[in-house]
Amino acid sequence: MALIVQKYGGSSLESADRIKRVAERIVATKKAGNEVVVVCSAMGDTTDELLDLAEQVNPVPPEREMDMLLTAGERISNALVAMAISAQGAEAWSFTGSQAGVVTTSVHGNARIIDVTPGRVTEALDQGYIALVAGFQGVAQDTKDITTLGRGGSDTTAVALAAALEADACEIYSDVDGVYTSDPRIVPDARRLDTVPYEEMLELAASGSKILHLRSVEYARRYGVPIRVRSSYSDKPGTTVAGSIEEIPVEQALITGVAHDRSEAKITVTGVPDHAGAAGSIFRAVADAEIDIDMVLQNVSNTQGRTDVTFTLSKANGPSAVSELEALKEQIGFSAVLYDDHVGKVSLVGAGMRSHPGVTATFCEALANAGVNIEIINTSEIRISVLIRDEQVDDAVRAIHEAFELGGDDEAVVYAGSGR
Amino acid sequence: MALIVQKYGGSSLESADRIKRVAERIVATKKAGNEVVVVCSAMGDTTDELLDLAEQVNPVPPEREMDMLLTAGERISNALVAMAISAQGAEAWSFTGSQAGVVTTSVHGNARIIDVTPGRVTEALDQGYIALVAGFQGVAQDTKDITTLGRGGSDTTAVALAAALEADACEIYSDVDGVYTSDPRIVPDARRLDTVPYEEMLELAASGSKILHLRSVEYARRYGVPIRVRSSYSDKPGTTVAGSIEEIPVEQALITGVAHDRSEAKITVTGVPDHAGAAGSIFRAVADAEIDIDMVLQNVSNTQGRTDVTFTLSKANGPSAVSELEALKEQIGFSAVLYDDHVGKVSLVGAGMRSHPGVTATFCEALANAGVNIEIINTSEIRISVLIRDEQVDDAVRAIHEAFELGGDDEAVVYAGSGR
């Protein structure tokens, strides 16, 4: 008898009808002889509707109350799924994150899981019940306030539960049937991957892939939880995310996939005096505003002893980063702050590049042949990323996918709402 | 500095706009120098929408999950009111019933409050915050499951909190501006009452008045909490429910009001053998089905040694009571079970009838003059109730209200959705 954790996202739960279909799958899994724990996100549009109501009563709602409000969404969906399960001949109990023992930091809106003590979940399983656990939420260890976990929080809840319960499998269901070599909407011959090691999945998630969220993959890797990415619309086996690149024999290491990201913008601070501390002041100012930066490029200084400092960041943070820097113009003595939000990032990921010289060369040649200009390049042991013009992202993705022969013969199966 | 508990019902919270108006009143109460605790029901249609969703996935939803589902409604409204308060310059924290220390029995859908330990509420008040507490819910003492409190649960939450916090006032807000001598929609010259003692309010609530729920008035009486019934649409002082009829000097005791109730049906079991145990079996069968009965009438047996047994019950329980009894026809040996759901109950309430002979006579004469036939009559020390044809209820109410000169000169002010 295996213990299986399943997670269903909002689009899989967007109506009473979808809820009943999900319940059928859960009951089938139970009847096959397994213990089943299910994590549900809020139904389809619920979170957006709640955010809208909040904004109507307060344009800048207090974070503690936002967490109290949004967590109602998961409460509703998990209770409804439990009811649907009951109508289909099995028994189920739903629990909030707090009741399920998900203990977190007290950072509202972006709490991290500190510990999971799922006593009531285990008790439910022992009594033959299916346990539903509200995703995306927990209780703060110090204040005992309810918290939400930030982006991908329901995936993280599922993986954390799987780790704490020593589950045999953690299945993440959405409307895509696995992790692909690239986005099938851009690359028609993108191929579904059977397996992806943790480190590669981390790089793909950090590079724009929306299939799994970074934090949940980090958690899975730390606790050794294998994740299966599957579609709630079919019985296909999906993709398994597990194992380390260290376990792959050198000769089998591959190039795995191409990710893209249109969510970043580029800031260039021009005419920065080339003395120790100038660049540091720029990065410190941005960091103090709690803004994360991604790619960095600093040119060699010109004959006047000045240089340009360029970096990328999330578009959402663009305007505030610009104003933070503008305020320091006199103090640091640079010429101007330029903002460019027509950039895109394209990344190639694969353990194989560690042992195959020439990958970088092939990568750059493919882009050059496609007429794509590289503005910034940034690499890790298993990833090459470039910043390019956003209107060239699709061409770049296809060119790289082709150059590394990642395509398959089968037409990629794309479901409605594919991508998450 | 006073500690005031305020409760707002669903219709007072039915939109973002109404929520902002309610927040204004709460902030004004705080700025006047008071400590403020607020209990909110779910927004207008939320509970019905959730019930509808539940029914779509399971026609007979498990009670534990129904409580998990419905309590999301109060979570949403209280968080939104807290946000609205914050936008208006005060600070507020919202709490679930469980977080606020509302401990209950484990009867899902109809739990009773066992204890209230509002530590986190007191802590919030001490720090200068307004505390919002979700009404209608608590946590079961033994199972630690979330429970809902049944009809009028939010009123009960407010009264229970007021008792536990030793509040100076408990204000119940709805869209009516007080307790009236009768329903203003039936009796245009119905008068708002300044004060109503607990026992009379209990009788009014039990006799069909929907202003306050029976359980909340019982709780208020037990703990000596004065309740003020006010409108969230005006600043009128409303009606105070407090004190005992024992405190009223005999000469001041009055006839207070006329209530009516259309929610009951009548069952007559005909040709019941007139021996000990027959009637008992009938009532036992109904009781075993967990059905409450109200008025009872048993005729004197006729020459064949048979009698009719008549009682009233909630219409909702009618069909199941009938089938329970039909099943016993042979065993008990009665002739038939007759079901009549065109009945109505009209009640006169007032401490004054204890010391004023002739009240019953005046009551019956008024009905006779109005052409209303009495089918069953039932009295307590301070109440006379009659069962009549439902189409005669309005006439009966007006006739009795007139006969006891309960009307006032001012036109009763009726707001949209008046009655609850």
Side-chain angles (χ1 to χ4, degrees):
Chain A
M1 184 164 73
L3 196 162
I4 297 181
V5 176
Q6 298 182 334
K7 177 263 177 173
Y8 293 92
S11 59
S12 301
L13 301 164
E14 67 185 358
S15 65
D17 219 63
R18 288 297 306 147
I19 285 175
K20 288 194 279 192
R21 296 290 86 75
V22 158
E24 279 174 18
R25 181 185 291 265
I26 295 168
V27 172
T29 310
K30 176 89 169 80
K31 286 191 167 158
N34 302 296
E35 289 183 310
V36 188
V37 177
V38 181
V39 174
C40 292
S41 299
M43 289 174 72
D45 293 327
T46 304
T47 306
D48 287 338
E49 287 168 3
L50 291 173
L51 285 169
D52 187 61
L53 267 175
E55 202 178 324
Q56 286 185 57
V57 300
N58 186 336
V60 190
E63 294 180 325
R64 178 196 186 280
E65 298 307 320
M66 185 58 88
D67 278 358
M68 285 295 278
L69 178 70
L70 294 182
T71 48
E74 286 77 29
R75 191 188 199 86
I76 289 169
S77 61
N78 281 278
L80 286 172
V81 173
M83 290 180 182
I85 288 170
S86 180
Q88 295 180 28
E91 286 311 318
W93 280 342
S94 70
F95 299 97
T96 59
S98 171
Q99 291 173 323
V102 178
V103 180
T104 74
T105 60
S106 46
V107 179
H108 286 293
N110 203 20
R112 285 190 169 268
I113 296 177
I114 293 173
D115 194 13
V116 180
T117 50
R120 292 178 76 174
V121 172
T122 307
E123 197 182 298
L125 294 176
D126 288 346
Q127 295 192 44
Y129 283 74
I130 294 166
L132 279 300
V133 178
F136 185 54
Q137 55 179 256
V139 60
Q141 192 174 53
D142 45 7
T143 63
K144 301 291 184 281
D145 283 334
I146 300 303
T147 54
T148 57
L149 305 177
R151 305 195 58 127
S154 291
D155 290 351
T156 309
T157 299
V159 172
L161 268 171
L165 293 166
E166 295 177 350
D168 297 278
C170 180
E171 302 178 332
I172 304 288
Y173 286 90
S174 67
D175 45 17
V176 284
D177 63 350
V179 181
Y180 279 71
T181 50
S182 194
D183 188 336
R185 289 169 299 183
I186 295 176
V187 184
D189 69 336
R191 191 171 38 82
R192 187 182 53 75
L193 299 159
D194 284 329
T195 317
V196 181
Y198 291 121
E199 298 91 339
E200 289 185 0
M201 195 65 233
L202 282 168
E203 292 283 13
L204 287 169
S207 305
S209 170
K210 293 183 173 41
I211 299 291
L212 284 174
H213 289 267
L214 191 65
R215 197 176 288 185
S216 62
V217 183
E218 283 176 343
Y219 209 106
R221 181 175 75 148
R222 195 180 336 144
Y223 291 92
V225 177
I227 300 177
R228 284 177 70 195
V229 178
R230 303 185 63 190
S231 164
S232 58
Y233 291 85
S234 83
D235 284 323
K236 292 188 179 176
T239 300
T240 300
V241 176
S244 168
I245 53 175
E246 304 306 334
E247 298 158 10
I248 304 173
V250 166
E251 59 277 9
Q252 286 178 29
L254 300 171
I255 298 302
T256 295
V258 184
H260 68 281
D261 189 345
R262 294 181 204 271
S263 72
E264 295 195 351
K266 181 178 78 169
I267 287 178
T268 301
V269 184
T270 63
V272 181
D274 189 22
H275 61 74
S281 304
I282 289 169
F283 295 127
R284 173 60 55 200
V286 176
D288 283 348
E290 297 192 357
I291 293 170
D292 293 323
I293 64 177
D294 183 17
M295 310 174 86
V296 176
L297 176 68
Q298 181 167 339
N299 293 334
V300 170
S301 65
N302 60 20
T303 48
Q304 285 89 45
R306 290 188 172 262
T307 182
D308 291 348
V309 175
T310 298
F311 60 90
T312 65
L313 73 173
S314 162
K315 275 178 185 160
N317 292 328
S320 49
V322 169
S323 64
E324 290 289 332
L325 291 170
E326 293 274 14
L328 294 168
K329 193 170 171 184
E330 282 205 38
Q331 179 186 325
I332 298 179
F334 57 75
S335 305
V337 178
L338 308 180
Y339 184 71
D340 180 355
D341 63 357
H342 290 293
V343 295
K345 188 168 83 170
V346 177
S347 308
L348 180 73
V349 174
M353 64 178 75
R354 295 193 299 174
S355 49
H356 289 80
V359 169
T360 309
T362 306
F363 183 88
C364 294
E365 282 162 7
L367 288 176
N369 288 340
V372 177
N373 184 47
I374 299 172
E375 302 183 22
I376 306 178
I377 188 165
N378 173 293
T379 65
S380 78
E381 206 184 25
I382 60 171
R383 173 187 50 78
I384 306 170
S385 296
V386 289
L387 196 75
I388 63 179
R389 289 290 97 195
D390 64 357
E391 61 264 22
Q392 292 189 306
V393 164
D394 288 8
D395 289 341
V397 168
R398 282 188 282 261
I400 297 165
H401 197 270
E402 184 78 33
F404 288 92
E405 297 173 356
L406 294 173
D409 299 323
D410 305 318
E411 185 89 13
V413 185
V414 179
Y415 295 96
S418 164
R420 188 62 206 101
Chain B
M1 182 164 73
L3 195 162
I4 297 179
V5 176
Q6 297 183 336
K7 177 263 177 174
Y8 293 92
S11 59
S12 301
L13 301 165
E14 66 186 0
S15 66
D17 219 63
R18 287 300 305 149
I19 284 176
K20 287 193 280 192
R21 297 289 86 75
V22 158
E24 279 175 17
R25 180 185 292 265
I26 295 167
V27 172
T29 309
K30 176 87 169 82
K31 288 192 166 158
N34 303 294
E35 291 184 308
V36 188
V37 177
V38 182
V39 174
C40 292
S41 299
M43 288 174 72
D45 293 327
T46 304
T47 306
D48 287 339
E49 288 169 2
L50 292 173
L51 286 169
D52 187 62
L53 266 174
E55 202 177 323
Q56 287 185 56
V57 302
N58 186 336
V60 191
E63 292 180 328
R64 179 195 185 280
E65 298 306 320
M66 184 59 88
D67 279 357
M68 285 295 278
L69 178 70
L70 295 183
T71 48
E74 286 78 29
R75 192 188 198 86
I76 291 169
S77 61
N78 281 279
L80 287 171
V81 174
M83 290 179 182
I85 288 170
S86 179
Q88 295 181 29
E91 287 311 319
W93 281 341
S94 71
F95 299 98
T96 58
S98 172
Q99 291 173 323
V102 179
V103 180
T104 75
T105 61
S106 46
V107 179
H108 287 291
N110 203 20
R112 285 191 169 267
I113 296 177
I114 292 174
D115 194 12
V116 178
T117 51
R120 293 178 76 174
V121 172
T122 307
E123 198 183 298
L125 295 176
D126 289 345
Q127 294 192 45
Y129 284 75
I130 294 165
L132 279 300
V133 178
F136 185 56
Q137 55 179 256
V139 61
Q141 192 174 52
D142 45 8
T143 62
K144 301 290 183 282
D145 282 335
I146 299 303
T147 54
T148 56
L149 304 178
R151 304 193 60 123
S154 292
D155 290 351
T156 308
T157 298
V159 173
L161 268 171
L165 293 166
E166 296 179 350
D168 297 277
C170 180
E171 302 178 334
I172 304 288
Y173 287 89
S174 67
D175 45 17
V176 284
D177 64 351
V179 181
Y180 278 72
T181 52
S182 195
D183 188 335
R185 289 169 300 184
I186 296 176
V187 184
D189 68 337
R191 192 171 36 83
R192 186 182 54 75
L193 300 160
D194 284 330
T195 319
V196 182
Y198 291 122
E199 296 92 338
E200 290 186 0
M201 195 64 233
L202 282 169
E203 292 283 12
L204 287 169
S207 306
S209 170
K210 293 183 173 44
I211 299 292
L212 285 173
H213 289 265
L214 192 66
R215 197 176 289 186
S216 63
V217 183
E218 283 176 344
Y219 209 105
R221 181 174 77 149
R222 195 180 338 144
Y223 292 93
V225 177
I227 301 177
R228 285 176 69 195
V229 178
R230 303 184 64 191
S231 165
S232 58
Y233 290 85
S234 83
D235 284 325
K236 293 188 179 178
T239 300
T240 300
V241 176
S244 168
I245 52 175
E246 304 306 334
E247 296 157 11
I248 304 173
V250 168
E251 60 278 8
Q252 286 179 31
L254 299 171
I255 298 300
T256 295
V258 185
H260 68 281
D261 189 344
R262 296 181 203 267
S263 71
E264 297 195 350
K266 183 179 76 169
I267 287 179
T268 301
V269 184
T270 64
V272 180
D274 190 23
H275 62 73
S281 303
I282 289 168
F283 295 127
R284 173 59 54 200
V286 175
D288 283 349
E290 297 192 357
I291 294 170
D292 293 324
I293 63 176
D294 182 17
M295 309 174 88
V296 175
L297 176 68
Q298 181 170 339
N299 292 333
V300 170
S301 64
N302 61 19
T303 49
Q304 285 87 48
R306 291 188 171 259
T307 184
D308 291 348
V309 175
T310 299
F311 61 89
T312 65
L313 73 174
S314 162
K315 275 177 183 162
N317 292 329
S320 49
V322 169
S323 63
E324 290 289 332
L325 290 171
E326 294 273 14
L328 295 168
K329 192 169 171 184
E330 283 205 35
Q331 179 185 324
I332 299 179
F334 56 74
S335 305
V337 178
L338 308 179
Y339 183 71
D340 180 354
D341 63 359
H342 291 294
V343 295
K345 188 167 84 171
V346 176
S347 307
L348 180 72
V349 174
M353 64 179 75
R354 294 192 300 175
S355 48
H356 290 82
V359 168
T360 309
T362 306
F363 182 89
C364 294
E365 282 161 7
L367 288 175
N369 289 340
V372 177
N373 184 47
I374 298 172
E375 301 183 22
I376 306 178
I377 188 165
N378 174 294
T379 65
S380 79
E381 207 183 24
I382 60 171
R383 173 188 50 81
I384 306 171
S385 297
V386 289
L387 195 76
I388 62 178
R389 290 291 97 197
D390 64 359
E391 61 264 21
Q392 291 189 306
V393 164
D394 288 8
D395 289 341
V397 168
R398 281 188 284 261
I400 296 165
H401 197 269
E402 184 79 33
F404 288 91
E405 297 173 356
L406 294 173
D409 298 323
D410 306 318
E411 185 89 14
V413 185
V414 178
Y415 296 97
S418 162
R420 189 62 207 100

